[in-house]
Amino acid sequence: MTEPRTTVSKIATLSPTEYANQTSPPLLIDVRSALEYRLMHPAQAINLSLLRLLLGTLPTLRRWAWPHWFQTLSPEQPVAVICLTAHRSPIAASCLERLGFSTISNISGGLIEWNRMGLSTCKGTKASPD
């Protein structure tokens, strides 16, 4: 009988405060829609919606769905994901893990918890990291 194969997840869970208190925090990716992002987001977050992330896993859609900064992002770059309530971000984190990213964190409680902790947010869009 063959033993079931087990894999160890590379996804860590961080509270908003744990993320904010890091001296060198990972790149924060807000996986909510562009509209949600424009209305309010953590000041250091960059937007890549869950839909675009998932669409880009299809090779024929990758160039269209993923922004250039993400297409050129090294899988060695530590990343953290956040959404509104921590419903979409675990899906995004799992997708990033399948894409080969080696250091992934999920922000627990999402933006709701981020706000409850009194951490800084802003409105509008943010320039991409490239």
Side-chain angles (χ1 to χ4, degrees):
M1 183 152 116
T2 306
E3 290 290 319
R5 201 170 109 203
T6 59
T7 57
V8 176
S9 176
K10 301 173 189 173
I11 303 168
T13 300
L14 292 176
S15 73
T17 305
E18 289 171 325
Y19 175 86
N21 288 336
Q22 292 185 359
T23 55
S24 295
L27 175 67
L28 183 58
I29 302 173
D30 187 327
V31 297
R32 297 174 303 138
S33 72
L35 175 60
E36 289 174 292
Y37 178 82
R38 280 193 297 271
L39 292 173
M40 178 178 53
H41 60 272
Q44 62 274 52
I46 189 156
N47 184 232
L48 176 59
S49 73
L50 177 60
L51 177 60
R52 288 181 70 186
L53 178 62
L54 293 174
L55 283 173
T57 62
L58 301 171
T60 56
L61 297 178
R62 184 164 295 156
R63 189 166 182 210
W64 169 81
W66 288 349
H68 180 72
W69 68 264
F70 188 77
Q71 291 178 41
T72 59
L73 189 63
S74 168
E76 300 304 313
Q77 166 71 50
V79 294
V81 288
I82 191 169
C83 64
L84 183 62
T85 62
H87 178 73
R88 290 173 274 188
S89 58
I91 299 167
S94 293
C95 180
L96 291 169
E97 184 177 38
R98 285 190 307 277
L99 291 169
F101 281 80
S102 58
T103 307
I104 309 158
S105 299
N106 179 43
I107 306 299
S108 63
L111 195 56
I112 299 254
E113 184 67 10
W114 186 279
N115 283 331
R116 196 177 77 69
M117 294 289 146
L119 299 171
S120 69
T121 60
C122 61
K123 295 180 182 186
T125 59
K126 175 183 171 135
S128 67
D130 21 35

